[in-house]
Amino acid sequence: MDRPPENHSDGQPPFWKQRRNLVAFLAFLGFFNVYTLRVNLSVGIVAMTSSSGTKASEFDWSPELRGAILSSFFYGYISTQLIGGLLGTKIGGVKLIGYGVLCTAFLTILTPMAARYSVYLVIVLRVIEGVFEGVVYPGIHAVWSRWAPPAERTRLGSFAFSGSFVGTVFGYPLCGWLAEKYGWPSTFYVPGLVAIIWCVVWLTCITESPAEDKRITKEELNYIVDSIGPTDNNKISFLNYPWKDILTSMPVWAITCAHFCENWGFYTLLTQLPSFMNDVLKFNIGKGSLLSALPYLVMSIILQISGFFVDWLRKNEILTTTQVRKIFNCGAFVSQTFFMYLASTSTSESGSIICLTLAVGLGAFAWSGFSINPLDIAPQYASILLGISNTFATIPGIVSPMLAGIIVQNKSAEEWHWVFLISSCIYLFGAVFYAIFASGERQPWAIIKTDEKNGHDNKTFDAKV
């Protein structure tokens, strides 16, 4: 007599044997690497342009040029968001993410050589890195549209996205330590090499869909397929997508607005916090990098909690999907508005650090709102919706470092006050817009019509979503 399979009462294998959790874990590590490949320049550029003791700086770059270098990545990044969304819908996100990160990692390793040759070559490299990395975020929604049961979307998606912030937590102090111990070139070599190793693991272990995974149990496969329902991924061409409905949908624009506003504050601090610590608080690169990571540590912890809490509220029907997205998103934005404003008026070191930590950290609740929202309103087009929203949300990455470079000419606290105040106002606008126009319901143009032979009808499928 065969031994019955080890599983839970709902027919599922144990948590640690579920392949969708492996996808989430490796996606977490992927985003970890993506962000260490971003923050390395924010830390490295301080070491490259600052004098220490008797040692002169290697590069004499003006604040405007530094701002241009830090923002150059986003010129490439913005160009492939929608392309990534379209490709993710058509071919899946696994290869898209893997090869996108792989190319970015190779170019990162080449950066020190480029810097010693020409500053303009560094800018060109960063633009190309942005092109390859631009497909990563839309690609992950293509992965989740095939792997994440609706009842677990926020948990799986939030956990994967939290890798970005954990990567920032480790990236800042790690790159600061590398710069002090082994010189600034190591801040590019080490993250690049680690990311290449991750790409090999991701591309060999993860398949585009559960049906292609040879190690998935029959119980988990059936659960995922039955929960997600029809996806209609490859049945229509790009030209036949409901573009008019997508581009005139206010819930889509609510996601886009929220993504833009969250990224404004996030990218402002991601690229400028080490400089602020150095300019105003007079911290050296080691201490400044460590404290710059603190906000993202808080964000990483909160994101784990918020993802489970959102799914619990929805599963137990305490709040509707629309209500939970709005409460978490708008509550975060209002809190960020308040603390970013306090940071702009703070006159003490500890006060500035606490306010900036909370201003960034509380954004985790917003990520449990807008970032998962595309899977609520149109799961089969989720990668396209994220491609659209992240196209606009990349603009802050271009504009905010350059604006900070223009405002902060004398490295004074008064100049940094305006940088933080602008972010505060943008958060407030995002809260109002999302509260009015967001939705957690599947949109009419995204409902897939099925017949009874397939075992689904519209009502049953919509209720699951």
Side-chain angles (χ1 to χ4, degrees), residues 257-258 260-261 333 337 423-435:
C257 178
F260 175 95
C261 296
F333 277 10
T337 299
S423 296
S424 179
C425 293
I426 290 174
Y427 278 136
L428 183 59
F429 175 78
V432 174
F433 195 93
Y434 195 85

Side-chain angles (χ1 to χ4, degrees), residues 323-343:
Q323 289 170 337
V324 80
R325 299 293 182 223
K326 287 186 176 183
I327 289 171
F328 275 65
N329 200 93
C330 298
F333 277 10
V334 170
S335 300
Q336 289 176 288
T337 299
F338 177 71
F339 286 110
M340 195 66 89
Y341 174 75
L342 288 183

